[in-house]
Amino acid sequence: MRKTLLALAVAVPVAAALAAWWCLPSREELAARLAQEAGAALGVGVRIGALDWQLLPRPALELRDIATDQQRPLELRRVLVQPRLLPLLAGRMELHSLELDGGTIVQRSLREFSRAAPKEPDRAAPALELDRLAIRDLTW
């Protein structure tokens, strides 16, 4: 009986880890998907150089070397997004913190977003609440 419980205690976490590894997208796939969705929302192409994520001890998504495909691109060296865990597990995105570390934002390029972004009627943007926002070394 003890051997069965011990085997079950080992097998369940291993099976869960294998299932998560099988079902979750790779870093490259997730970066490509985020770049595609950001490009569709902004109306210009977006490139993401690298992506890293973690679930524990606190969920975090780190994006590096982000740039828009424009004549004068917006460039961000590093973006760290930390969502809240319980809402994330429930399928909702609520942010705990957002860090922007290094980059260049060209105001003229920002104006292109409003002209290029597709319009969606009667769709309000979700409210964004942050416990912490950090911006370092950003050129405007």
Side-chain angles (χ1 to χ4, degrees):
M1 180 70 168
R2 286 185 180 175
K3 288 182 181 181
T4 303
L5 289 175
L6 181 61
L8 189 60
V10 170
V12 169
V14 169
L18 286 173
W21 177 78
W22 181 263
C23 296
L24 293 175
S26 70
R27 290 179 170 108
E28 292 80 17
E29 291 170 329
L30 188 54
R33 187 182 321 165
L34 285 175
Q36 181 180 13
E37 289 181 18
L42 297 174
V44 298
V46 174
R47 290 170 298 163
I48 298 174
L51 177 144
D52 195 16
W53 66 272
Q54 68 182 36
L55 188 57
L56 296 173
R58 163 170 260 153
L61 177 66
E62 182 179 13
L63 306 166
R64 290 181 299 282
D65 303 323
I66 304 163
T68 58
D69 291 327
Q70 294 174 284
Q71 184 177 1
R72 300 178 90 186
L74 274 68
E75 299 172 325
L76 297 172
R77 186 173 44 228
R78 180 178 167 268
V79 176
L80 179 66
V81 179
Q82 291 183 318
R84 292 186 177 98
L85 181 59
L86 293 178
L88 184 63
L89 293 175
R92 295 186 324 272
M93 179 62 76
E94 293 182 15
L95 297 183
H96 169 69
S97 71
L98 175 65
E99 293 182 25
L100 303 175
D101 190 9
T104 303
I105 296 179
V106 180
Q107 191 167 358
R108 183 176 294 159
S109 297
L110 288 177
R111 284 188 228 133
E112 292 178 23
F113 293 159
S114 61
R115 291 189 301 247
K119 306 294 184 225
E120 294 184 26
D122 300 329
R123 187 169 181 186
L128 180 64
E129 294 183 22
L130 290 172
D131 293 336
R132 182 173 173 268
L133 172 64
I135 300 174
R136 290 181 289 280
D137 192 26
L138 190 66
T139 303
W140 183 270

